[in-house]
Amino acid sequence: MGFSFPARRRLFLLLALLFALVALFPLRLAFNMLGLQENGLAARSINGGVWWGTIEQLRLGRVMLGNVEARLSPIQLLVGRARMDFVRQTGGPDDLKGAVTVSSASFGIDDVTASIGADGLFAPLPISGIDFSDVSVRFADGACVRAQGRIKARMAATIQGLNLSQGLSGEAVCDGPALFLPLVSQSGLEKLNLHIEADGSYRAELLVSTMDAALAGTLAGNGFSRAADGGYVLKISGRL
């Protein structure tokens, strides 16, 4: 005596088996297979399944993102992209929400809202942290092809006479192959122009407009040089 299953039931069982196998697929293996490490992402440990897991000490380049929950988006897989969503919700200032999306020729971040620390990341620029508000950036074939969202650089008060306590902010845009962050203080007298390339290299200029001789002397003593417009500029470069 044997058992006979209708075709629909056999199809259901097959789909259920495939779903179970995918649901148990390790997040760590997906992280490695997507080549996220080749794009600067690293972590101390990755645990759980591909649809919902945890990542400890997630880092993008030299930027520490901390401990997050993560999952792979099934919808993006249907259109040939892999999107891994990250979230940390504690109700505090260190909440994080956003995603990293990769395809065969592109890499980027999507819909990132977060506040991260940046002490020493852009030294000697006195940037203590960066706030992201719905920021999306995409690089394709090494060039910036999409950038949007608001960025705010929080500044440490390390230069006497220069009040940057309210930070500098602006909208992310593409400038040629680079991501360009044109950040301006509330007074408009201080500007931070930050260009970031696909490989994580950056160049930055902090420009200060002033007619104050005492402040000019302080700026000169902190590495600023005279700019073409009569203000003072500090230029640096490095890699994130």
Side-chain angles (χ1 to χ4, degrees), residues 71-97:
R71 68 181 182 90
L72 197 64
S73 170
I75 296 177
Q76 292 296 314
L77 291 174
L78 297 176
V79 295
R81 291 192 297 265
R83 170 176 166 136
M84 189 169 289
D85 288 273
F86 304 108
V87 63
R88 179 177 60 243
Q89 293 182 325
T90 63
D94 63 342
D95 282 0
L96 181 150
K97 183 179 180 181

PDB file of all heavy atoms in Angstrom, residues 71-97:
ATOM      1  N   ARG A  71      19.442  41.852   8.552  1.00  0.00           N
ATOM      2  CA  ARG A  71      18.691  40.870   7.767  1.00  0.00           C
ATOM      3  C   ARG A  71      18.878  41.173   6.286  1.00  0.00           C
ATOM      4  O   ARG A  71      19.151  42.312   5.890  1.00  0.00           O
ATOM      5  CB  ARG A  71      17.203  40.896   8.118  1.00  0.00           C
ATOM      6  CG  ARG A  71      16.470  42.160   7.693  1.00  0.00           C
ATOM      7  CD  ARG A  71      15.021  42.112   8.105  1.00  0.00           C
ATOM      8  NE  ARG A  71      14.295  43.293   7.671  1.00  0.00           N
ATOM      9  CZ  ARG A  71      13.670  43.404   6.499  1.00  0.00           C
ATOM     10  NH1 ARG A  71      13.708  42.385   5.648  1.00  0.00           N
ATOM     11  NH2 ARG A  71      13.023  44.496   6.180  1.00  0.00           N
ATOM     12  N   LEU A  72      18.708  40.162   5.473  1.00  0.00           N
ATOM     13  CA  LEU A  72      18.781  40.303   4.025  1.00  0.00           C
ATOM     14  C   LEU A  72      17.380  40.555   3.480  1.00  0.00           C
ATOM     15  O   LEU A  72      16.418  39.914   3.902  1.00  0.00           O
ATOM     16  CB  LEU A  72      19.363  39.031   3.408  1.00  0.00           C
ATOM     17  CG  LEU A  72      19.893  39.117   1.977  1.00  0.00           C
ATOM     18  CD1 LEU A  72      21.087  40.060   1.902  1.00  0.00           C
ATOM     19  CD2 LEU A  72      20.280  37.732   1.481  1.00  0.00           C
ATOM     20  N   SER A  73      17.266  41.496   2.541  1.00  0.00           N
ATOM     21  CA  SER A  73      15.964  41.820   1.956  1.00  0.00           C
ATOM     22  C   SER A  73      15.660  40.875   0.792  1.00  0.00           C
ATOM     23  O   SER A  73      16.385  40.865  -0.203  1.00  0.00           O
ATOM     24  CB  SER A  73      15.946  43.267   1.462  1.00  0.00           C
ATOM     25  OG  SER A  73      14.786  43.518   0.689  1.00  0.00           O
ATOM     26  N   PRO A  74      14.583  40.092   0.859  1.00  0.00           N
ATOM     27  CA  PRO A  74      14.275  39.171  -0.246  1.00  0.00           C
ATOM     28  C   PRO A  74      13.806  39.901  -1.503  1.00  0.00           C
ATOM     29  O   PRO A  74      14.015  39.422  -2.610  1.00  0.00           O
ATOM     30  CB  PRO A  74      13.163  38.291   0.342  1.00  0.00           C
ATOM     31  CG  PRO A  74      12.536  39.112   1.414  1.00  0.00           C
ATOM     32  CD  PRO A  74      13.643  39.948   1.980  1.00  0.00           C
ATOM     33  N   ILE A  75      13.184  41.067  -1.356  1.00  0.00           N
ATOM     34  CA  ILE A  75      12.660  41.801  -2.509  1.00  0.00           C
ATOM     35  C   ILE A  75      13.787  42.242  -3.422  1.00  0.00           C
ATOM     36  O   ILE A  75      13.706  42.129  -4.646  1.00  0.00           O
ATOM     37  CB  ILE A  75      11.816  43.002  -2.040  1.00  0.00           C
ATOM     38  CG1 ILE A  75      10.589  42.507  -1.266  1.00  0.00           C
ATOM     39  CG2 ILE A  75      11.396  43.860  -3.223  1.00  0.00           C
ATOM     40  CD1 ILE A  75       9.730  43.610  -0.700  1.00  0.00           C
ATOM     41  N   GLN A  76      14.871  42.774  -2.855  1.00  0.00           N
ATOM     42  CA  GLN A  76      15.989  43.241  -3.666  1.00  0.00           C
ATOM     43  C   GLN A  76      16.668  42.100  -4.417  1.00  0.00           C
ATOM     44  O   GLN A  76      17.213  42.302  -5.508  1.00  0.00           O
ATOM     45  CB  GLN A  76      17.007  43.968  -2.785  1.00  0.00           C
ATOM     46  CG  GLN A  76      16.518  45.277  -2.213  1.00  0.00           C
ATOM     47  CD  GLN A  76      16.246  46.300  -3.293  1.00  0.00           C
ATOM     48  OE1 GLN A  76      17.049  46.491  -4.199  1.00  0.00           O
ATOM     49  NE2 GLN A  76      15.112  46.972  -3.205  1.00  0.00           N
ATOM     50  N   LEU A  77      16.635  40.898  -3.868  1.00  0.00           N
ATOM     51  CA  LEU A  77      17.229  39.757  -4.548  1.00  0.00           C
ATOM     52  C   LEU A  77      16.519  39.474  -5.875  1.00  0.00           C
ATOM     53  O   LEU A  77      17.142  39.015  -6.834  1.00  0.00           O
ATOM     54  CB  LEU A  77      17.153  38.514  -3.655  1.00  0.00           C
ATOM     55  CG  LEU A  77      18.036  38.521  -2.401  1.00  0.00           C
ATOM     56  CD1 LEU A  77      17.748  37.291  -1.558  1.00  0.00           C
ATOM     57  CD2 LEU A  77      19.509  38.583  -2.765  1.00  0.00           C
ATOM     58  N   LEU A  78      15.236  39.785  -5.928  1.00  0.00           N
ATOM     59  CA  LEU A  78      14.457  39.529  -7.135  1.00  0.00           C
ATOM     60  C   LEU A  78      14.858  40.436  -8.294  1.00  0.00           C
ATOM     61  O   LEU A  78      14.591  40.117  -9.451  1.00  0.00           O
ATOM     62  CB  LEU A  78      12.958  39.701  -6.842  1.00  0.00           C
ATOM     63  CG  LEU A  78      12.359  38.729  -5.816  1.00  0.00           C
ATOM     64  CD1 LEU A  78      10.901  39.072  -5.558  1.00  0.00           C
ATOM     65  CD2 LEU A  78      12.501  37.285  -6.286  1.00  0.00           C
ATOM     66  N   VAL A  79      15.496  41.583  -7.996  1.00  0.00           N
ATOM     67  CA  VAL A  79      15.900  42.517  -9.053  1.00  0.00           C
ATOM     68  C   VAL A  79      17.412  42.538  -9.239  1.00  0.00           C
ATOM     69  O   VAL A  79      17.963  43.470  -9.814  1.00  0.00           O
ATOM     70  CB  VAL A  79      15.366  43.939  -8.759  1.00  0.00           C
ATOM     71  CG1 VAL A  79      13.856  43.957  -8.805  1.00  0.00           C
ATOM     72  CG2 VAL A  79      15.869  44.452  -7.411  1.00  0.00           C
ATOM     73  N   GLY A  80      18.097  41.502  -8.727  1.00  0.00           N
ATOM     74  CA  GLY A  80      19.524  41.361  -8.976  1.00  0.00           C
ATOM     75  C   GLY A  80      20.419  42.148  -8.047  1.00  0.00           C
ATOM     76  O   GLY A  80      21.596  42.345  -8.360  1.00  0.00           O
ATOM     77  N   ARG A  81      19.869  42.601  -6.925  1.00  0.00           N
ATOM     78  CA  ARG A  81      20.684  43.305  -5.928  1.00  0.00           C
ATOM     79  C   ARG A  81      20.550  42.606  -4.584  1.00  0.00           C
ATOM     80  O   ARG A  81      19.565  41.918  -4.325  1.00  0.00           O
ATOM     81  CB  ARG A  81      20.239  44.771  -5.792  1.00  0.00           C
ATOM     82  CG  ARG A  81      20.543  45.632  -6.981  1.00  0.00           C
ATOM     83  CD  ARG A  81      20.349  47.100  -6.643  1.00  0.00           C
ATOM     84  NE  ARG A  81      18.974  47.406  -6.288  1.00  0.00           N
ATOM     85  CZ  ARG A  81      18.062  47.866  -7.139  1.00  0.00           C
ATOM     86  NH1 ARG A  81      18.377  48.043  -8.413  1.00  0.00           N
ATOM     87  NH2 ARG A  81      16.833  48.124  -6.741  1.00  0.00           N
ATOM     88  N   ALA A  82      21.536  42.788  -3.737  1.00  0.00           N
ATOM     89  CA  ALA A  82      21.487  42.257  -2.381  1.00  0.00           C
ATOM     90  C   ALA A  82      21.537  43.423  -1.411  1.00  0.00           C
ATOM     91  O   ALA A  82      22.473  44.217  -1.431  1.00  0.00           O
ATOM     92  CB  ALA A  82      22.647  41.305  -2.136  1.00  0.00           C
ATOM     93  N   ARG A  83      20.504  43.529  -0.604  1.00  0.00           N
ATOM     94  CA  ARG A  83      20.424  44.606   0.385  1.00  0.00           C
ATOM     95  C   ARG A  83      20.384  43.998   1.782  1.00  0.00           C
ATOM     96  O   ARG A  83      19.535  43.156   2.077  1.00  0.00           O
ATOM     97  CB  ARG A  83      19.186  45.469   0.153  1.00  0.00           C
ATOM     98  CG  ARG A  83      18.891  46.457   1.288  1.00  0.00           C
ATOM     99  CD  ARG A  83      17.726  47.351   0.965  1.00  0.00           C
ATOM    100  NE  ARG A  83      17.237  48.044   2.149  1.00  0.00           N
ATOM    101  CZ  ARG A  83      16.910  49.329   2.196  1.00  0.00           C
ATOM    102  NH1 ARG A  83      17.009  50.072   1.103  1.00  0.00           N
ATOM    103  NH2 ARG A  83      16.453  49.881   3.306  1.00  0.00           N
ATOM    104  N   MET A  84      21.324  44.427   2.618  1.00  0.00           N
ATOM    105  CA  MET A  84      21.351  43.980   4.001  1.00  0.00           C
ATOM    106  C   MET A  84      20.989  45.162   4.897  1.00  0.00           C
ATOM    107  O   MET A  84      21.676  46.184   4.899  1.00  0.00           O
ATOM    108  CB  MET A  84      22.719  43.407   4.372  1.00  0.00           C
ATOM    109  CG  MET A  84      22.733  42.733   5.732  1.00  0.00           C
ATOM    110  SD  MET A  84      24.256  41.768   6.050  1.00  0.00           S
ATOM    111  CE  MET A  84      24.023  40.383   4.925  1.00  0.00           C
ATOM    112  N   ASP A  85      19.886  45.011   5.607  1.00  0.00           N
ATOM    113  CA  ASP A  85      19.400  46.068   6.484  1.00  0.00           C
ATOM    114  C   ASP A  85      19.998  45.927   7.874  1.00  0.00           C
ATOM    115  O   ASP A  85      20.123  44.817   8.404  1.00  0.00           O
ATOM    116  CB  ASP A  85      17.874  46.022   6.581  1.00  0.00           C
ATOM    117  CG  ASP A  85      17.200  46.481   5.299  1.00  0.00           C
ATOM    118  OD1 ASP A  85      16.985  47.690   5.161  1.00  0.00           O
ATOM    119  OD2 ASP A  85      16.919  45.627   4.433  1.00  0.00           O
ATOM    120  N   PHE A  86      20.341  47.072   8.469  1.00  0.00           N
ATOM    121  CA  PHE A  86      20.891  47.117   9.818  1.00  0.00           C
ATOM    122  C   PHE A  86      20.012  48.017  10.686  1.00  0.00           C
ATOM    123  O   PHE A  86      19.538  49.055  10.228  1.00  0.00           O
ATOM    124  CB  PHE A  86      22.319  47.669   9.813  1.00  0.00           C
ATOM    125  CG  PHE A  86      23.264  46.925   8.909  1.00  0.00           C
ATOM    126  CD1 PHE A  86      23.710  47.495   7.728  1.00  0.00           C
ATOM    127  CD2 PHE A  86      23.701  45.657   9.238  1.00  0.00           C
ATOM    128  CE1 PHE A  86      24.579  46.816   6.888  1.00  0.00           C
ATOM    129  CE2 PHE A  86      24.559  44.965   8.411  1.00  0.00           C
ATOM    130  CZ  PHE A  86      25.003  45.545   7.234  1.00  0.00           C
ATOM    131  N   VAL A  87      19.829  47.624  11.932  1.00  0.00           N
ATOM    132  CA  VAL A  87      19.027  48.446  12.829  1.00  0.00           C
ATOM    133  C   VAL A  87      19.517  48.280  14.264  1.00  0.00           C
ATOM    134  O   VAL A  87      19.931  47.200  14.682  1.00  0.00           O
ATOM    135  CB  VAL A  87      17.523  48.072  12.726  1.00  0.00           C
ATOM    136  CG1 VAL A  87      17.290  46.628  13.160  1.00  0.00           C
ATOM    137  CG2 VAL A  87      16.675  49.030  13.543  1.00  0.00           C
ATOM    138  N   ARG A  88      19.507  49.390  14.970  1.00  0.00           N
ATOM    139  CA  ARG A  88      19.737  49.384  16.415  1.00  0.00           C
ATOM    140  C   ARG A  88      18.776  50.395  17.011  1.00  0.00           C
ATOM    141  O   ARG A  88      18.889  51.598  16.764  1.00  0.00           O
ATOM    142  CB  ARG A  88      21.188  49.754  16.751  1.00  0.00           C
ATOM    143  CG  ARG A  88      21.458  49.772  18.256  1.00  0.00           C
ATOM    144  CD  ARG A  88      22.911  50.067  18.593  1.00  0.00           C
ATOM    145  NE  ARG A  88      23.341  51.347  18.081  1.00  0.00           N
ATOM    146  CZ  ARG A  88      24.294  51.504  17.186  1.00  0.00           C
ATOM    147  NH1 ARG A  88      24.910  50.456  16.691  1.00  0.00           N
ATOM    148  NH2 ARG A  88      24.627  52.705  16.752  1.00  0.00           N
ATOM    149  N   GLN A  89      17.810  49.913  17.780  1.00  0.00           N
ATOM    150  CA  GLN A  89      16.788  50.777  18.345  1.00  0.00           C
ATOM    151  C   GLN A  89      16.756  50.623  19.856  1.00  0.00           C
ATOM    152  O   GLN A  89      16.314  49.607  20.374  1.00  0.00           O
ATOM    153  CB  GLN A  89      15.416  50.467  17.739  1.00  0.00           C
ATOM    154  CG  GLN A  89      15.308  50.826  16.259  1.00  0.00           C
ATOM    155  CD  GLN A  89      13.931  50.552  15.699  1.00  0.00           C
ATOM    156  OE1 GLN A  89      13.260  49.601  16.080  1.00  0.00           O
ATOM    157  NE2 GLN A  89      13.497  51.390  14.773  1.00  0.00           N
ATOM    158  N   THR A  90      17.273  51.631  20.540  1.00  0.00           N
ATOM    159  CA  THR A  90      17.277  51.638  21.996  1.00  0.00           C
ATOM    160  C   THR A  90      16.522  52.835  22.555  1.00  0.00           C
ATOM    161  O   THR A  90      16.350  52.959  23.758  1.00  0.00           O
ATOM    162  CB  THR A  90      18.723  51.682  22.521  1.00  0.00           C
ATOM    163  OG1 THR A  90      19.344  52.916  22.094  1.00  0.00           O
ATOM    164  CG2 THR A  90      19.536  50.519  21.993  1.00  0.00           C
ATOM    165  N   GLY A  91      16.080  53.727  21.651  1.00  0.00           N
ATOM    166  CA  GLY A  91      15.428  54.943  22.110  1.00  0.00           C
ATOM    167  C   GLY A  91      16.408  56.023  22.505  1.00  0.00           C
ATOM    168  O   GLY A  91      16.024  57.082  22.989  1.00  0.00           O
ATOM    169  N   GLY A  92      17.699  55.773  22.271  1.00  0.00           N
ATOM    170  CA  GLY A  92      18.740  56.729  22.633  1.00  0.00           C
ATOM    171  C   GLY A  92      19.341  57.405  21.418  1.00  0.00           C
ATOM    172  O   GLY A  92      18.950  57.147  20.275  1.00  0.00           O
ATOM    173  N   PRO A  93      20.332  58.279  21.643  1.00  0.00           N
ATOM    174  CA  PRO A  93      20.959  59.006  20.535  1.00  0.00           C
ATOM    175  C   PRO A  93      21.792  58.138  19.607  1.00  0.00           C
ATOM    176  O   PRO A  93      22.176  58.577  18.524  1.00  0.00           O
ATOM    177  CB  PRO A  93      21.835  60.041  21.250  1.00  0.00           C
ATOM    178  CG  PRO A  93      22.114  59.429  22.589  1.00  0.00           C
ATOM    179  CD  PRO A  93      20.880  58.669  22.948  1.00  0.00           C
ATOM    180  N   ASP A  94      22.107  56.904  20.022  1.00  0.00           N
ATOM    181  CA  ASP A  94      22.937  56.040  19.188  1.00  0.00           C
ATOM    182  C   ASP A  94      22.112  55.071  18.344  1.00  0.00           C
ATOM    183  O   ASP A  94      22.639  54.089  17.817  1.00  0.00           O
ATOM    184  CB  ASP A  94      23.938  55.267  20.043  1.00  0.00           C
ATOM    185  CG  ASP A  94      23.249  54.323  21.025  1.00  0.00           C
ATOM    186  OD1 ASP A  94      22.047  54.509  21.293  1.00  0.00           O
ATOM    187  OD2 ASP A  94      23.926  53.401  21.530  1.00  0.00           O
ATOM    188  N   ASP A  95      20.807  55.342  18.185  1.00  0.00           N
ATOM    189  CA  ASP A  95      19.984  54.511  17.310  1.00  0.00           C
ATOM    190  C   ASP A  95      20.535  54.553  15.886  1.00  0.00           C
ATOM    191  O   ASP A  95      21.080  55.570  15.443  1.00  0.00           O
ATOM    192  CB  ASP A  95      18.534  54.978  17.317  1.00  0.00           C
ATOM    193  CG  ASP A  95      17.786  54.521  18.556  1.00  0.00           C
ATOM    194  OD1 ASP A  95      18.389  53.844  19.394  1.00  0.00           O
ATOM    195  OD2 ASP A  95      16.595  54.869  18.688  1.00  0.00           O
ATOM    196  N   LEU A  96      20.358  53.472  15.157  1.00  0.00           N
ATOM    197  CA  LEU A  96      20.857  53.379  13.792  1.00  0.00           C
ATOM    198  C   LEU A  96      19.860  52.608  12.942  1.00  0.00           C
ATOM    199  O   LEU A  96      19.316  51.587  13.364  1.00  0.00           O
ATOM    200  CB  LEU A  96      22.222  52.689  13.774  1.00  0.00           C
ATOM    201  CG  LEU A  96      22.931  52.503  12.431  1.00  0.00           C
ATOM    202  CD1 LEU A  96      24.442  52.518  12.624  1.00  0.00           C
ATOM    203  CD2 LEU A  96      22.528  51.188  11.752  1.00  0.00           C
ATOM    204  N   LYS A  97      19.623  53.112  11.740  1.00  0.00           N
ATOM    205  CA  LYS A  97      18.761  52.419  10.791  1.00  0.00           C
ATOM    206  C   LYS A  97      19.269  52.698   9.389  1.00  0.00           C
ATOM    207  O   LYS A  97      19.544  53.837   9.043  1.00  0.00           O
ATOM    208  CB  LYS A  97      17.310  52.883  10.926  1.00  0.00           C
ATOM    209  CG  LYS A  97      16.342  52.143  10.023  1.00  0.00           C
ATOM    210  CD  LYS A  97      14.921  52.643  10.221  1.00  0.00           C
ATOM    211  CE  LYS A  97      13.953  51.891   9.317  1.00  0.00           C
ATOM    212  NZ  LYS A  97      12.556  52.391   9.477  1.00  0.00           N
TER     213      LYS A  97
END
